[in-house]
Amino acid sequence: MATVKVYDQNKQECGELTLSADVFEVEARPEILNLVVRAQMAAKRAGTHMAKTRAFVSGGGVKPWKQKGTGRARSGSNRSPVWRGGAIVFGPQPRDYSFKVNSKVRALAMKMALSSRLAAENLLVVKGIELPEAKTKHFAKVAGTLGLNKALIVTAEESEVLTRSARNIPGITLTTPDRLSVLEILRHKQLVLLEGAVAPVQARFEK
């Protein structure tokens, strides 16, 4: 099991915490991380794109000219795909891009993502963040003290004060253990766990 230092919001060491090896010491496999990230990104796609086929292009109700005797190629509609202003052949249609990934694979990918941050020494455990009021300047000061640049901060539960204070700081994202995702962890270089969020994260993914 890995033992990490616990800091307060002033970056002063205030204890140690032992992390579960089942969650934070899993060897990363790029193919599994890639699969889960692709699934999460695909699920976010709206899939509402659409090009008009002949059924949806207006006009074209009259045959442009008679079938024979004009010397020109035969044509049945001026909205044919071969005409300018006509329909699109095999254009994109509304679809669902999501695909299924087994829950065990998703859980394994989450462990790998968490482990990668610990292995790269980009995981920081903070005892707590207390702000006098919901002001960006207060959170920015704490983030500067902790050396946070592009960080995902996991809190035990939603805090309106922290959310409102951090939402205008570029690169900083707040989440909770139940909303933690592989995509968000890998998007952020640093992972910050508030001490109260460590147990719920481990309980969610421990064997």
Side-chain angles (χ1 to χ4, degrees):
M1 291 188 176
T3 301
V4 296
K5 296 179 181 179
V6 180
Y7 298 91
D8 61 18
Q9 64 186 47
N10 297 316
K11 200 65 183 290
Q12 299 297 316
E13 188 178 337
C14 60
E16 291 185 343
L17 187 66
T18 301
L19 301 177
S20 170
D22 289 338
V23 179
F24 289 94
E25 294 183 11
V26 179
E27 183 181 357
R29 293 171 56 187
E31 67 275 14
I32 291 182
L33 290 172
N34 176 266
L35 173 65
V36 174
V37 167
R38 285 195 298 108
Q40 291 181 355
M41 294 182 70
K44 289 177 179 289
R45 298 185 67 173
T48 54
H49 44 38
M50 180 179 176
K52 290 185 177 181
T53 62
R54 292 185 68 156
F56 297 100
V57 178
S58 62
V62 180
K63 188 175 175 66
W65 50 75
K66 62 182 183 178
Q67 182 80 350
K68 295 178 179 294
T70 64
R72 288 179 290 187
R74 57 193 174 188
S75 180
S77 171
N78 59 8
R79 290 299 178 259
S80 166
V82 299
W83 280 54
R84 184 169 182 239
I88 300 296
V89 182
F90 304 130
Q93 296 297 310
R95 56 168 290 194
D96 180 11
Y97 281 91
S98 63
F99 58 91
K100 184 178 182 296
V101 177
N102 292 337
S103 59
K104 289 184 178 180
V105 176
R106 295 198 305 268
L108 180 58
M110 179 64 73
K111 295 176 187 179
M112 291 177 179
L114 292 169
S115 300
S116 69
R117 290 296 170 259
L118 178 62
E121 298 182 351
N122 284 325
L123 187 146
L124 182 67
V125 179
V126 179
K127 189 173 183 64
I129 299 178
E130 298 292 336
L131 302 178
E133 56 181 333
K135 292 285 187 180
T136 302
K137 63 180 181 181
H138 296 315
F139 194 94
K141 182 179 179 181
V142 174
T145 303
L146 294 174
L148 305 183
N149 183 16
K150 192 173 183 182
L152 177 65
I153 302 175
V154 185
T155 61
E157 55 187 18
E158 286 193 46
S159 169
E160 184 180 356
V161 173
L162 290 180
T163 301
R164 289 171 57 192
S165 302
R167 64 188 176 186
N168 290 329
I169 301 179
I172 302 294
T173 303
L174 265 67
T175 189
T176 53
D178 59 314
R179 292 188 293 146
L180 194 60
S181 72
V182 175
L183 180 61
E184 288 298 327
I185 293 175
L186 297 181
R187 270 181 173 171
H188 295 81
K189 182 179 179 181
Q190 301 162 302
L191 177 63
V192 180
L193 297 175
L194 298 193
E195 191 174 23
V198 174
V201 169
Q202 292 187 147
R204 182 181 170 189
F205 300 107
E206 238 175 350
K207 291 181 181 178

